[in-house]
Amino acid sequence: MMLERKILVVEDSPVVLKVLNHLLSQNPLFIPVLCTCYDQARRKLEEESFFAAIVDLNLPDAENGEIVDLVLLKQIPCVVLTGNFDDDLRISLLDKGVLDYITKDSRYSFNHAIKVVERLIKNEGVKVLVAEDSAANSQFVRALLEQYRFNVIEVDNGQEALAKLEEDSGIRMLIADHNIALVNGYELVRMLRSNARFQDLVIIGLSAEGDSALSAKFIKAGANDFLKKPFYHEEFHCRVVHSLEAQEMLETIRDLANTDPLTKLKNRRFFFEEGERYLRKANAGFSLAMLDLDHFKVINDTYGHMIGDDLLASFGGDMQGAFPDMLVCRFGGEEFCILAKVCGQELLDRLKVFLGHLRAKEYTGAKISMTCSVGLSCQSIGSFEDLIKQADRLLYEAKRAGRDRIISDL
């Protein structure tokens, strides 16, 4: 269960306050706390803790943006939402440390303010590696990233960056200066993009030198974006967030293509691709089980396909819960597969426990009892497709022997 966050909203316009309250309330993680003046906000800040704040600059009892200083003093990320655009004021507020300066010129302005706050939650678990040989520049980039709640790791040369990326698979983004020592930024990008393991790493290049040719060179090598120094807060944040969101969208699309929509398990296509990949690299024990729900057609005929779908979805969740360290997929219809990087005996023992729980459970509101038959193959007999055929043959034997059992080639 994710933690709810209180968002302080300070705005004297009832209409704007209502809009922001509505938009924030759409996100179940947010608890809007509404204030119409500086003094009310001051009291709330003394009484409660806040994740972020969205504030207007001109309040009835504080007309010169005093609310921003108050919020920043409490070290709360602050978004300014104002009716007037003043470029000098915008720059001074960004220099103070506000996340964004947004003018109320359209409905999108309100959506953008909410999006900035939502991004803070997403960024909390995102590790960013900064490869920069200038301590001052590294500190500046770190400060900008930490404003947006990123988890920052710093190195000062290309070799150390490579070592850190190899060591920590949780790093999602690399920001690399072109002129770092040992391995420069451009070569670093080329080396990373030649390794399939880093295909989803977001890479942004930096340089104080060069022209548009260097930018193109970086991007052609595989960088997601390139920034020429010096750059300003807004440009940096926009580029970082845009690159990260574009990569997240690609990962979402890929995940949808690999996921069965009913059970949320991996689908047959992904299972074949991953299975072939694993089999090529396998240097230890592995096993494959094929499971089939017994008499499932009777369920559909008796209770209808909606109940049948609910049962499949529930069963898929149970499988994922019982075998979280293994690749579980919906193979098709009421058939499921498990690919395990363990010896056959370990998977056999866990399957026996799972079948025991299955017999004791009732599914859906109709309280349907289910059993399943299992074919378990542990022998390396050629291709991944051959392994599946062997498990399928053993599954057929389990069905023919009376169902609700496991037949293996152990």
Side-chain angles (χ1 to χ4, degrees):
M1 183 178 177
M2 295 191 72
L3 186 67
E4 293 178 324
R5 273 86 166 184
K6 290 182 180 179
I7 311 298
L8 179 67
V9 181
V10 189
E11 171 63 61
D12 64 329
S13 165
V15 174
V16 173
L17 205 61
K18 186 176 181 179
V19 169
L20 291 173
N21 183 47
H22 171 73
L23 292 174
L24 285 167
S25 298
Q26 301 303 300
N27 190 321
L29 297 179
F30 291 154
I31 302 174
V33 177
L34 311 180
C35 298
T36 58
C37 66
Y38 178 90
D39 192 54
Q40 190 180 3
R42 180 185 57 78
R43 292 197 302 271
K44 287 291 183 183
L45 286 165
E46 290 173 355
E47 296 166 0
E48 303 177 44
S49 297
F50 293 91
F51 177 74
I54 301 173
V55 305
D56 188 14
L57 289 177
N58 308 118
L59 300 170
D61 54 347
E63 298 180 354
N64 298 308
E66 293 90 345
I67 186 65
V68 172
D69 294 324
L70 180 63
V71 169
L72 292 179
L73 185 64
K74 297 285 187 178
Q75 297 185 318
I76 299 169
C78 181
V79 177
V80 170
L81 190 59
T82 179
N84 301 314
F85 181 80
D86 182 320
D87 200 42
D88 291 336
L89 179 59
R90 177 183 66 85
I91 291 171
S92 70
L93 288 171
L94 290 170
D95 285 339
K96 278 185 178 182
V98 303
L99 292 177
D100 211 338
Y101 180 99
I102 304 167
T103 52
K104 306 171 192 170
D105 52 12
S106 70
R107 180 173 176 81
Y108 178 74
S109 302
F110 303 116
N111 288 322
H112 180 60
I114 306 303
K115 184 180 175 184
V116 172
V117 178
E118 289 177 334
R119 188 70 241 179
L120 293 177
I121 295 178
K122 294 179 182 178
N123 293 347
E124 286 183 320
V126 176
K127 291 182 183 179
V128 181
L129 178 65
V130 177
E132 170 66 76
D133 58 358
S134 161
N137 287 338
S138 185
Q139 186 177 2
F140 176 63
V141 172
R142 169 187 275 276
L144 292 179
L145 290 168
E146 288 181 342
Q147 265 188 290
Y148 266 69
R149 298 289 180 91
F150 288 104
N151 183 351
V152 183
I153 303 166
E154 294 170 290
V155 295
D156 60 11
N157 65 70
Q159 280 191 2
E160 195 177 346
L162 283 171
K164 188 64 71 174
L165 287 164
E166 287 285 353
E167 169 193 315
D168 190 344
S169 60
I171 295 172
R172 294 276 309 282
M173 176 182 284
L174 167 68
I175 298 177
D177 185 77
H178 176 53
N179 293 315
I180 49 175
L182 302 181
V183 179
N184 69 37
Y186 169 70
E187 290 298 329
L188 184 59
V189 174
R190 288 187 62 225
M191 292 169 72
L192 291 169
R193 289 307 190 216
S194 66
N195 187 334
R197 180 182 160 192
F198 300 111
Q199 66 171 348
D200 291 334
L201 179 69
V202 177
I203 304 175
I204 297 178
L206 304 176
S207 180
E209 304 171 4
D211 51 20
S212 58
L214 181 59
S215 171
K217 188 177 177 182
F218 257 83
I219 291 170
K220 286 179 180 178
N224 300 77
D225 207 343
F226 182 88
L227 273 166
K228 186 172 180 181
K229 297 185 281 189
F231 46 79
Y232 204 64
H233 310 61
E234 282 178 307
E235 181 185 14
F236 178 81
H237 284 144
C238 285
R239 297 285 189 94
V240 166
V241 170
H242 175 77
S243 295
L244 199 55
E245 288 182 342
Q247 185 59 43
E248 287 168 352
M249 183 63 71
L250 285 174
E251 291 171 12
T252 298
I253 292 169
R254 188 188 308 140
D255 192 52
L256 288 171
N258 293 330
T259 303
D260 172 57
L262 178 62
T263 63
K264 310 306 178 188
L265 299 175
K266 295 302 182 184
N267 59 22
R268 180 186 183 122
R269 185 180 70 83
F270 180 83
F271 190 71
F272 269 96
E273 289 178 357
E274 189 65 20
E276 291 286 2
R277 190 179 300 118
Y278 174 68
L279 215 59
R280 287 195 300 269
K281 297 179 179 179
N283 55 7
F286 63 90
S287 45
L288 188 148
M290 185 169 284
L291 297 79
D292 187 275
L293 289 171
D294 296 328
H295 304 296
F296 185 73
K297 185 177 183 302
V298 176
I299 303 296
N300 278 336
D301 291 344
T302 305
Y303 298 97
H305 288 275
M306 295 292 286
I307 294 294
D309 284 351
D310 286 348
L311 193 154
L312 288 171
S314 205
F315 180 77
D318 285 351
M319 283 195 66
Q320 191 64 71
F323 306 99
D325 52 334
M326 302 176 185
L327 175 58
V328 181
C329 92
R330 184 184 180 195
F331 200 69
E334 65 271 23
E335 280 192 331
F336 297 80
C337 281
I338 302 170
L339 179 62
K341 299 180 181 181
V342 297
C343 67
Q345 187 60 52
E346 181 178 339
L347 181 54
L348 177 60
D349 292 341
R350 289 174 65 173
L351 282 166
K352 287 177 179 177
V353 173
F354 178 69
L355 263 61
H357 288 315
L358 181 62
R359 295 181 191 109
K361 182 170 180 175
E362 293 179 327
Y363 284 92
T364 78
K367 297 186 177 180
I368 302 168
S369 297
M370 288 298 304
T371 61
C372 75
S373 304
V374 184
L376 173 60
S377 178
C378 318
Q379 306 298 322
S380 179
I381 54 174
S383 69
F384 185 66
E385 189 173 347
D386 291 335
L387 188 64
I388 289 176
K389 286 178 179 177
Q390 170 72 350
D392 191 42
R393 183 183 66 77
L394 294 167
L395 171 62
Y396 179 74
E397 288 185 21
K399 290 279 190 184
R400 192 172 57 182
R403 297 182 170 83
D404 188 21
R405 67 194 62 216
I406 304 166
I407 300 290
S408 76
D409 55 12
L410 275 171

